[in-house]
Amino acid sequence: MRAKSETRRQAILEAASDVFQEMGFERATMAAICERLGYSKATLYNYFSSKEELFSAVAFGATEIEFQATLSALNTDVEDMTKALEDFGRGLLTLLYAPDVQAVRRMIVAEAGRSELGKQCYKLGPVRSEAALAAFLQQAMKSGKLRQADARIASLHLRALLESELLDRFLFQTLDQVSAKEIRSMVQRAVAMFMAAYGPA
């Protein structure tokens, strides 16, 4: 019974992903997703209580493995801080600036002021990433690998540096696909600046 329920949930996520991509979040409806599936609204609402909840599941379910892999670079036992931060940075930018993830992020930004979607996605993405990164930096500060500072602010500075060469182009939709070589160079520059500010004396 549980396997059948999970199969049905996965079918809903796949159909919803198609509908959101074709129609955008605002024009997509639960009715359209039901029609695509051949399910009743009662069945759909049994799994997801709102369109916002369903979109969040679609957006983050597909990238959760990559998200966790990115966070795994934040190993508190690491000796080389520069390498650890570069590994994290490459993973983060590769994830955030993949074409399909860019499309989802734009939908979230466009809808954020009209519903609870922005708050939900903020908690699932940036808040989780910031907490993990701040904890890692705090540990590095305690062990003398970074200078003492507010770890949360440092995590925000690092994130801003990592995205500094891409964010405006992303927001104004002038960003083409970013190559692995470009990401590597951007991350090296960002981490060098971060270490210049936060590296041990």
Side-chain angles (χ1 to χ4, degrees):
M1 186 69 175
R2 187 174 179 180
K4 183 178 180 181
S5 177
E6 184 56 36
T7 299
R8 182 169 287 184
R9 184 179 188 278
Q10 190 58 41
I12 291 170
L13 291 173
E14 290 173 4
S17 178
D18 292 341
V19 171
F20 286 131
Q21 287 181 32
E22 292 166 15
M23 304 177 70
F25 178 84
E26 185 177 8
R27 292 192 301 118
T29 64
M30 296 294 261
I33 294 166
C34 287
E35 184 177 343
R36 182 72 57 98
L37 286 160
Y39 291 173
S40 68
K41 279 190 177 181
T43 298
L44 186 56
Y45 280 104
N46 189 47
Y47 287 85
F48 299 97
S49 62
S50 66
K51 185 172 75 168
E52 287 81 8
E53 182 184 338
L54 178 52
F55 182 86
S56 295
V58 168
F60 289 92
T63 59
E64 185 63 22
I65 293 174
E66 290 89 343
F67 181 75
Q68 292 299 331
T70 297
L71 295 184
S72 70
L74 302 175
N75 181 352
T76 55
D77 295 329
V78 71
E79 290 299 324
D80 187 340
M81 280 298 298
T82 296
K83 182 180 184 307
L85 293 177
E86 286 180 351
D87 288 346
F88 169 76
R90 283 195 302 273
L92 182 68
L93 294 190
T94 299
L95 174 61
L96 291 180
Y97 290 95
D100 55 335
V101 176
Q102 285 192 57
V104 169
R105 290 174 73 197
R106 288 193 180 106
M107 276 194 276
I108 293 168
V109 170
E111 183 58 28
R114 293 190 290 264
S115 72
E116 291 295 305
L117 181 65
K119 291 179 182 178
Q120 290 180 12
C121 293
Y122 176 66
K123 289 176 183 176
L124 287 170
V127 169
R128 291 167 66 203
S129 177
E130 178 189 313
L133 181 55
F136 171 75
L137 296 178
Q138 183 67 62
Q139 187 61 40
M141 290 170 186
K142 284 182 179 178
S143 62
K145 296 169 188 170
L146 295 174
R147 72 169 178 82
Q148 291 298 314
D150 185 320
R152 177 181 167 275
I153 298 301
S155 74
L156 295 175
H157 286 169
L158 178 58
R159 172 72 178 264
L161 285 166
L162 288 169
E163 289 201 75
S164 62
E165 297 182 45
L166 296 171
L167 190 56
D168 279 350
R169 285 188 287 157
F170 164 73
L171 291 173
F172 291 97
Q173 300 193 32
T174 64
L175 183 64
D176 296 322
Q177 189 162 350
V178 188
S179 71
K181 182 178 179 181
E182 289 174 306
I183 286 176
R184 190 181 310 113
S185 296
M186 291 174 190
V187 167
Q188 286 174 345
R189 289 189 287 271
V191 171
M193 288 296 294
F194 181 82
M195 291 302 293
Y198 286 98

